Amino acid sequence: SPKLTYAAIAAMKQGYVDEGKPVLLVDAGDHIQGTAYGSMDDGATIIELMNVVGYDIAIPGNHEFDYGMENFLELTKQANFPYISANFTCRDELVFAPYVIKEFDGVKIAFVGMTTPNTITSSTPVYFQDEEGNFIYGFMQDETGDKLYAAVQSAVDAARAEGAAYVVAMGHMGIEESCSPYMSTEVITHTTGIDAFLDGHAHETMACNEVKNAEGKTVLRAACGTKLSSVGYL
């Protein structure tokens, strides 16, 4: 099937807006790399396109760092939309806000971001180090996944305390065994308070499946392929 274009996505968003519907357009990571446009200028054109289309929120995927940390952080300043991540740190401080709250008709919806801790090894290690070779950037990686789960839970709890009626997780996590203990399904089973999980990283297309959280409540999980193969609808 033909790939979607940013123009088609812009038209899709505008179509819903014209119908009077509140629309948020979000991206679950790996947008600046993987296309000729991306490699042509290290992702600058992609950010320009996303600005024109009207993206509302994005999270960093592991490939956001392929052109170096300074380049990526500079691109986030050029973006007209916030990047969020509850587990991306520099010297143990969060680089971005862990979540953002959007309000429609008085209803607050929180979006909580996260990036697979495997990024530290799947992208170029030197990008996460200082001049002496010490790792100063990280993704709360550990053997068990507990650091990540705690960071996500903390962000969800803070968003709920701020009045969020719904919490949508935006994760660049995936569901392959190699992603464990950081699979999106594992984040869901180890936390409470997430209503839906929009997943990236795995390149699978999953319309919607149901995963039980730590309290046994149902969380909807969706993923929509790779390289604009499809657009997810929640």
Side-chain angles (χ1 to χ4, degrees):
S1 61
K3 293 273 181 14
L4 283 156
T5 62
Y6 279 112
I9 294 171
M12 197 182 297
K13 181 179 181 183
Q14 194 56 48
Y16 287 122
V17 171
D18 291 346
E19 288 172 18
K21 291 181 175 147
V23 185
L24 283 176
L25 182 58
V26 304
D27 190 290
D30 280 5
H31 36 272
I32 73 166
Q33 184 267 6
T35 61
Y37 273 124
S39 54
M40 189 170 68
D41 57 9
D42 298 348
T45 297
I46 300 290
I47 297 296
E48 277 178 45
L49 284 166
M50 291 174 74
N51 284 342
V52 172
V53 170
Y55 274 80
D56 295 285
I57 313 167
I59 60 170
N62 53 301
H63 287 298
E64 255 59 68
F65 306 100
D66 283 4
Y67 307 120
M69 185 63 72
E70 279 176 35
N71 180 75
F72 171 59
L73 295 177
E74 184 51 45
L75 290 182
T76 66
K77 291 180 191 148
Q78 292 167 23
N80 294 343
F81 47 88
Y83 276 82
I84 54 170
S85 182
N87 70 309
F88 173 41
T89 61
C90 178
R91 303 185 194 278
D92 295 325
E93 298 282 325
L94 286 177
V95 177
F96 303 125
Y99 65 91
V100 63
I101 290 180
K102 301 284 186 178
E103 193 168 326
F104 295 109
D105 299 328
V107 178
K108 290 181 175 174
I109 304 172
F111 291 79
V112 174
M114 67 200 82
T115 303
T116 177
N118 288 333
T119 298
I120 205 84
T121 49
S122 66
S123 197
T124 308
V126 71
Y127 293 158
F128 306 109
Q129 299 167 347
D130 62 13
E131 291 77 22
E132 281 79 53
N134 304 305
F135 279 91
I136 56 169
Y137 290 95
F139 298 88
M140 302 195 181
Q141 60 278 1
D142 64 12
E143 295 295 308
T144 60
D146 288 343
K147 264 193 195 172
L148 172 73
Y149 310 147
V152 171
Q153 189 66 65
S154 170
V156 171
D157 293 347
R160 289 282 184 193
E162 215 177 301
Y166 299 97
V167 174
V168 178
M170 288 174 59
H172 194 81
M173 311 302 283
I175 54 165
E176 297 114 322
E177 272 307 308
S178 61
C179 300
S180 189
Y182 314 124
M183 295 190 287
S184 54
T185 45
E186 291 170 311
V187 172
I188 293 169
T189 58
H190 286 88
T191 58
T192 59
I194 293 171
D195 294 297
F197 198 115
L198 308 180
D199 197 15
H201 193 49
H203 298 193
E204 35 114 27
T205 303
M206 174 66 73
C208 224
N209 64 328
E210 298 184 353
V211 183
K212 296 278 193 254
N213 73 6
E215 290 176 337
K217 291 185 180 166
T218 298
V219 178
L220 299 175
R221 180 188 165 277
C224 50
T226 182
K227 295 188 181 175
L228 302 187
S229 60
S230 52
V231 170
Y233 174 98
L234 178 68

